[in-house]
């Protein structure tokens, strides 16, 4: 991170004047965000090079997402890392190579500037690792109580190479469902980090960018049908959405689901189901059976995919439904969640 | 967690299931003449569906889902009173998470929160106590809810508040007891029950003797069970063995956790803080004598009913259940959730009409979520 040596920003906390459009705002943007992101020009609009679009048949992809999380910093990441990974992953699972991002900040009056610097530094490092550039942004300051610390909105633009077409509608009965690693770590981390539970755990968020992993999978298994980033609603929501779109059934094996003992334990105590816990670096893929081994091998070659396993497959039966064979050999429907999971009382 | 996985061993389960099938055949259990076993506790209902046990056991065994989900049996009038307290200025209303979505006449606590009430989800009454310490200018009310499992922790928080002389903490007490509704169910001439699987967590506190009357006075076997799938299956087997042998006893399958005489520290806290109400209303079951607890006069300062002049302190208030809601009939095992005319149409987890669809431990929600109904339709 590149912080100018002669700093003009002497405040320790954000005040409304940092959002007023004057010198104070300029200083905040320069010294906290621009110095970390180093965009090509300090203008409101980024002018993107067209080299990436030069190939005939290449398509643009665009996505946007707002990020709110309590606490702003947690084991394994912070809101900035979430904002970069979330948007990069949305592009990646659509088959796009993520290239450019915008970042808009809504900052509550009173927020520590040191915290903003840490968030900006994480974002810069994460963007660089993911191979994307933060090319434009926006900063607004709102009064105390009008926001919860910091909200971040990122928009991402990427390019889908010619001939690549991932879509849930391509999923066929017999295709296998693969995930890249353990489930529920992010959701469990946030629950524990909120401090409402007198529980200490070593769980860290799985927050990570999946662009490189997706490229590796597609290179090894060109027939890859569709991918999703299993975020809110967990694996259950991602699979339900894909089953419904594709008009196929999905059957998963409880025994195959990669879950940490700590996550299982936390869920047991609180009466939650890990299938519905949020993830921030979990890829769900459908691949033709013939290419499954190649996809798995390519994934396991990368750190983001080391724990890749087959969790189930698409079926012609019960279209639109996700079912799980329990460790007991029983079967149950894994439905979409209604609202959020609420811890039970005993 | 290795401890838990041992209770989910598929091989062991298969062996127990085979024994259950053998015994069921020996007893002559068929779909026409099934053995009705009531699992009293909502936690058991949830586990049965989560592991698909209802479909794995012999056809002649039918689980009847009992009244043991404290959120489900909470009458609507009490939810309304929670909302009333929560909406008062200066109040911080604290509750366990799964009570948030239970519908009241006008709104649920979740909706009251959106309407501006300061409602916080807590994981223990001690968290509510801490909120009271940190907010001396606010009145912090804890929604005391649950059976004997959660009753002691509420009692301890009241004792602690009294020791500290906290003046801004109170409990809206809705604690209820297990034995009385079971007696009420057994007295119901329409009930057809052959045996019970007893609630393990409750028995950690009260032991096994409070169920003696089930075996002694009503001649029904009861086995206190743990919550892992193998615990449940083994308990079903133990009930069947009693039926085959013509015995009716209280047996303890969950002996690794449940002491015969309960937990003396918890029992002492309960006896110190609460006394029985003459009667308490249960959703779907109506008023049941001596089935609820209220805070003793010596802790009156911590009784939200007194502080806010609400609930039984203000006189009984009965709110009729929504029309078409058959929660009561489901809870007494008279009909299956799917036989309710509202199931899946007027009443879904998105728009629950009755409480059994709200809590994840409610029979209807379990049927819906784990596809008790839909899975069967689709595959058979």
């Amino acid at each position: 991170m590149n912080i100018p040596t002669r700093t003009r920003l002497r405040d320790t906390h954000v005040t409304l004047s940092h959002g007023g459009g004057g010198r104070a705002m300029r200083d905040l943007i320069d010294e906290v965000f621009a110095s970390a992101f180093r965009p090509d020009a300090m203008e409101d609009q980024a002018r993107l090079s067209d080299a990436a679009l030069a190939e005939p048949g290449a398509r643009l992809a665009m996505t946007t997402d707002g990020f709110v999380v309590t606490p702003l910093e947690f084991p394994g990441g912070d809101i900035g890392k979430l904002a970069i990974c979330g948007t990069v992953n949305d592009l990646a699972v659509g088959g796009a190579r993520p290239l450019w991002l915008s970042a808009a900040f809504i900052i509550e009056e009173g927020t520590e500037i040191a915290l903003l610097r840490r968030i900006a530094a994480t974002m810069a490092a994460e963007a660089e690792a993911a191979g994307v550039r933060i090319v434009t942004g926006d900063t607004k300051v709102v009064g105390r109580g009008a926001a919860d610390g910091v909200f971040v909105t990122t928009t991402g633009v990427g390019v889908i190479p010619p001939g690549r077409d991932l879509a849930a509608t391509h999923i066929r009965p017999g295709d296998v469902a693969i995930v890249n690693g353990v489930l529920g770590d992010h959701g469990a981390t946030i629950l524990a980090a909120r401090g409402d539970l007198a529980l200490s755990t070593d769980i860290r968020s799985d927050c990570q960018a999946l662009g490189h992993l997706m490229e590796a999978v597609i290179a090894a298994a060109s027939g890859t049908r569709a991918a999703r980033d299993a975020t809110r609603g967990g694996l259950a929501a991602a699979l339900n959405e894909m089953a419904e779109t594709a008009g196929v059934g999905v059957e998963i094996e409880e025994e195959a689901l990669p879950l940490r003992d700590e996550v299982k334990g936390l869920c047991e105590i609180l009466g939650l189901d890990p299938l519905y816990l949020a993830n921030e670096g979990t890829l769900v893929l459908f691949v033709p059976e013939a290419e499954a081994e190649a996809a798995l091998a390519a994934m396991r070659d990368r750190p983001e995919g080391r724990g890749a396993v087959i969790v189930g497959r698409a079926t012609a039966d019960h279209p639109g439904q996700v079912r799980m064979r329990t460790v007991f050999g029983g079967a149950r429907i894994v439905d979409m969640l209604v609202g959020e999971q609420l811890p039970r009382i005993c | 967690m290795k401890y838990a996985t041992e209770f989910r061993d598929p091989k062991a389960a298969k062996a127990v299931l085979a024994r259950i099938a053998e015994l069921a055949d020996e007893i002559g259990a068929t779909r026409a003449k099934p053995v009705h076993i009531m699992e009293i506790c909502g936690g058991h209902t949830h586990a049965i569906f989560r592991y698909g046990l209802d479909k794995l056991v012999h056809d002649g065994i039918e689980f009847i889902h009992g009244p043991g989900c404290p959120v489900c049996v909470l009458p609507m009038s009490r939810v309304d009173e929670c909302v009333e307290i929560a909406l008062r200025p200066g109040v911080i209303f604290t509750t366990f998470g799964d009570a948030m979505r239970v519908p009241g006449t006008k709104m649920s606590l979740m909706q009251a929160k959106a309407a501006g009430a300061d409602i916080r989800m807590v994981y223990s009454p001690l968290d509510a106590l801490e909120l009271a310490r940190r907010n001396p200018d606010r009145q912090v009310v804890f929604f005391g809810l649950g059976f004997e499992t959660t009753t002691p922790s509420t009692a301890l928080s009241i004792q602690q508040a009294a020791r500290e002389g906290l003046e801004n903490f109170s409990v809206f007490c809705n604690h209820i007891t297990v034995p009385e509704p079971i007696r009420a169910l057994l007295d119901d001439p329409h009930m057809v029950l052959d045996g019970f699987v007893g609630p393990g967590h409750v028995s950690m506190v009260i032991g096994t003797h409070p169920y003696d009357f089930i075996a002694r006075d009503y001649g029904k076997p009861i086995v206190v069970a743990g919550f892992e799938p193998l615990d449940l299956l083994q308990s079903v087997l133990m009930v069947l063995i009693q039926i085959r042998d013509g015995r009716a006893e209280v047996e303890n399958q969950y002996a690794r956790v449940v002491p015969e005489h309960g937990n003396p520290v918890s029992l002492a806290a309960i006896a110190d803080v609460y006394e029985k109400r003459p009667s308490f209303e249960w959703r779907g079951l109506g008023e049941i004598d001596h089935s609820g607890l209220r805070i003793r006069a010596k802790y009156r300062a911590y009784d939200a009913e007194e502080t806010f002049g609400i609930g039984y302190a203000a006189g009984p208030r009965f709110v009729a259940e929504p029309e078409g809601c058959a929660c009561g009939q489901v809870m007494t095992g008279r009909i299956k959730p799917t036989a309710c005319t509202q199931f899946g149409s007027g009443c879904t987890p998105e728009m629950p009409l009755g409480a059994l669809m709200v809590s994840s431990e409610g029979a209807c929600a379990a049927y819906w979520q784990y596809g008790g109904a839909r899975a069967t339709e689709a595959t058979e």
Side-chain angles (χ1 to χ4, degrees):
Chain A
M1 181 179 162
N2 179 18
I3 300 170
T5 44
R6 279 182 55 227
T7 174
R8 293 188 304 263
L9 182 66
R10 295 184 190 283
D11 306 271
T12 56
H13 292 78
V14 171
T15 65
L16 286 174
S17 64
H18 289 111
R23 175 69 64 192
M25 181 167 159
R26 189 81 211 167
D27 291 347
L28 180 80
I29 294 172
D30 278 355
E31 295 191 23
V32 175
F33 298 119
S35 65
F37 304 156
R38 283 177 282 163
D40 294 335
M42 282 303 299
E43 289 182 37
D44 281 347
Q45 290 143 10
R47 294 171 188 95
L48 307 174
S49 94
D50 60 359
L53 279 166
E55 272 186 279
R59 287 181 295 155
L60 263 184
M62 184 174 166
T63 182
T64 192
D65 211 342
F67 295 86
V68 295
V69 63
T70 308
L72 291 166
E73 296 177 296
F74 46 82
D78 62 23
I79 190 169
K81 188 174 179 184
L82 274 185
I84 300 294
C85 295
T87 297
V88 163
N89 294 349
D90 277 350
L91 289 170
V93 296
R97 292 192 180 122
L99 292 173
W100 304 290
L101 296 185
S102 75
F105 297 84
I106 293 172
I107 304 165
E108 186 186 12
E109 175 188 16
T111 301
E112 251 191 295
I113 287 175
L115 169 69
L116 292 180
R117 287 190 198 277
R118 291 197 298 276
I119 292 171
T122 329
M123 291 177 77
E126 202 56 40
E128 192 179 341
V132 293
R133 309 239 18 220
I134 301 167
V135 290
T136 186
D138 182 46
T139 306
K140 294 282 186 300
V141 177
V142 295
R144 195 177 269 277
D148 188 8
V150 180
F151 298 155
V152 184
T153 300
T154 43
T155 295
V157 174
V159 172
I160 302 170
R164 191 181 287 182
D165 184 19
L166 297 185
T169 47
H170 299 334
I171 300 170
R172 294 285 172 270
D175 290 350
V176 298
I178 298 176
V179 300
N180 62 322
V182 286
L183 302 169
D185 283 11
H186 179 75
T189 301
I190 295 299
L191 266 178
R194 281 188 187 149
D196 301 338
L197 310 165
L199 294 170
S200 64
T201 70
D202 297 328
I203 314 168
R204 296 168 65 78
S205 168
D206 64 336
C207 183
Q208 57 183 345
L210 299 168
H212 299 310
L213 183 65
M214 271 304 290
E215 288 299 320
V217 169
I218 294 170
S222 59
T224 299
R225 313 274 198 200
R228 282 285 187 284
D229 175 18
T231 54
R232 260 181 312 169
L235 180 68
L239 288 177
N240 267 287
E241 194 196 316
M242 292 170 101
E244 205 166 300
T245 310
V248 298
V250 172
E251 266 177 25
I252 54 175
E253 298 287 332
E254 185 172 22
E255 221 160 348
L257 296 176
L259 290 165
R260 274 185 220 288
D261 285 348
E262 292 91 329
V263 172
K264 280 196 245 178
L266 190 83
C267 286
E268 290 289 329
I269 291 168
L270 297 176
L272 304 178
D273 188 335
L275 278 175
Y276 297 96
L277 285 185
N279 309 282
E280 288 297 342
T282 297
L283 188 61
V284 190
L285 282 174
F286 276 88
V287 178
E289 189 165 18
E291 290 188 89
E293 281 310 315
L296 279 172
M299 289 170 88
R300 288 175 185 154
D301 265 353
R302 291 203 53 91
E304 314 93 287
R306 204 130 286 161
V309 283
I310 294 175
V311 292
R313 61 184 59 236
T315 65
D317 301 334
H318 54 85
Q321 274 184 10
V322 180
R323 296 192 183 190
M324 179 161 85
R325 188 151 295 279
T326 71
V327 288
F328 257 47
R332 67 155 158 112
I333 288 187
V334 177
D335 209 345
M336 292 282 255
L337 195 62
V338 179
E340 61 174 331
Q341 282 202 102
L342 298 172
R344 65 162 186 243
I345 76 172
C346 62
Chain B
M1 284 308 294
K2 184 171 174 294
Y3 192 56
T5 51
E6 283 165 8
F7 293 94
R8 295 177 191 172
D9 175 16
K11 264 199 215 127
K14 245 181 217 150
V16 181
L17 283 165
R19 284 284 293 140
I20 288 176
E22 239 171 73
L23 270 177
D25 284 336
E26 196 181 331
I27 293 166
T30 60
R31 271 182 192 260
K33 199 173 173 249
V35 176
H36 287 101
I37 299 178
M38 173 177 275
E39 83 281 2
I40 297 166
C41 175
H44 283 150
T45 307
H46 190 72
I48 286 169
F49 287 102
R50 181 171 164 194
Y51 294 100
L53 302 186
D54 55 320
K55 294 195 201 70
L56 287 174
V57 294
H58 185 277
D59 271 356
I61 292 170
E62 213 163 292
F63 287 108
I64 306 291
H65 317 299
C69 165
V71 171
C72 301
V73 294
L74 194 71
M76 218 170 219
S77 58
R78 301 295 278 188
V79 180
D80 287 346
E81 282 155 359
C82 285
V83 169
E84 248 178 88
I85 297 173
L87 285 170
R88 299 236 184 144
V91 165
I92 299 176
F93 192 85
T94 58
T95 173
F96 292 126
D98 51 359
M100 290 289 283
R101 271 201 288 262
V102 186
T105 317
K106 292 197 191 83
M107 58 176 104
S108 65
L109 285 169
M110 187 85 95
Q111 288 161 328
K113 187 171 191 288
D118 189 347
I119 298 175
R120 318 241 182 129
M121 261 189 269
V122 292
Y123 296 88
S124 144
L126 298 173
D127 299 338
L129 209 54
E130 181 55 29
L131 269 174
R133 290 187 199 109
R134 287 206 310 258
N135 295 278
D137 53 333
R138 308 277 300 275
Q139 179 65 222
V140 175
V141 182
F142 175 69
F143 183 14
L145 174 66
F147 288 100
E148 290 87 341
T149 325
T150 53
T151 304
S153 61
T154 310
L156 292 172
S157 72
I158 289 174
Q159 288 175 325
Q160 183 63 30
R163 269 196 295 275
E164 291 177 29
L166 270 181
E167 288 177 358
N168 63 328
F169 174 77
S170 60
V171 170
F172 183 45
C173 183
N174 288 273
H175 286 295
I176 44 181
T177 55
V178 161
E180 289 72 16
I182 300 305
R183 187 185 288 278
L185 284 175
L186 284 164
D187 283 337
D188 181 338
H190 300 293
M191 287 296 305
V192 190
L193 285 175
D194 299 299
F196 291 89
V197 170
H201 290 156
V202 165
S203 292
M204 276 163 64
V205 175
I206 64 173
T208 58
H209 289 300
Y211 311 123
D212 286 348
F213 74 95
I214 297 175
R216 188 189 57 230
D217 302 344
Y218 295 90
K220 309 281 182 193
I222 171 165
V223 176
V224 174
F227 291 81
E228 293 300 330
L230 260 180
D231 285 327
L232 271 163
L233 291 180
Q234 194 189 8
S235 301
V236 168
L237 181 61
M238 289 166 76
V239 169
L240 292 180
I241 292 173
Q242 287 200 43
I243 293 173
R244 181 200 61 188
D245 297 350
R247 287 183 292 127
E249 291 165 22
V250 182
E251 290 182 321
N252 186 5
Q253 181 276 338
Y254 205 27
R256 66 183 188 275
V257 170
V258 171
E260 189 188 338
H261 295 284
N263 179 324
V265 177
S266 298
L267 289 171
I270 291 175
D272 177 47
V273 173
Y274 313 100
E275 61 190 356
K276 293 232 161 172
R277 295 177 191 269
S279 117
F280 192 76
E281 188 197 342
W282 292 59
R283 189 186 289 241
L285 302 177
E287 293 276 342
I288 300 176
D289 289 351
H290 312 299
S291 64
L293 300 175
R294 71 179 171 210
I295 296 165
R296 283 186 191 277
K298 72 174 188 177
Y299 292 110
R300 178 163 293 167
Y302 303 99
D303 185 348
E305 285 191 54
E306 297 289 337
T307 316
F308 295 94
I310 220 163
Y312 282 83
R317 165 162 59 168
F318 180 76
V319 178
E321 293 299 315
E323 208 168 318
C325 177
C327 277
Q329 283 171 279
V330 174
M331 223 169 339
T332 49
R334 275 172 234 181
I335 61 169
K336 292 269 175 208
T338 42
C340 172
T341 54
Q342 299 296 322
F343 183 83
S345 53
C347 184
T348 62
E350 288 88 350
M351 294 287 285
L353 186 66
L356 293 186
M357 193 55 107
V358 180
S359 159
S360 66
E361 294 183 359
C364 298
Y367 253 68
W368 182 261
Q369 187 185 352
Y370 296 134
R374 291 171 298 157
T376 313
E377 279 163 21
T379 53
E380 289 169 10

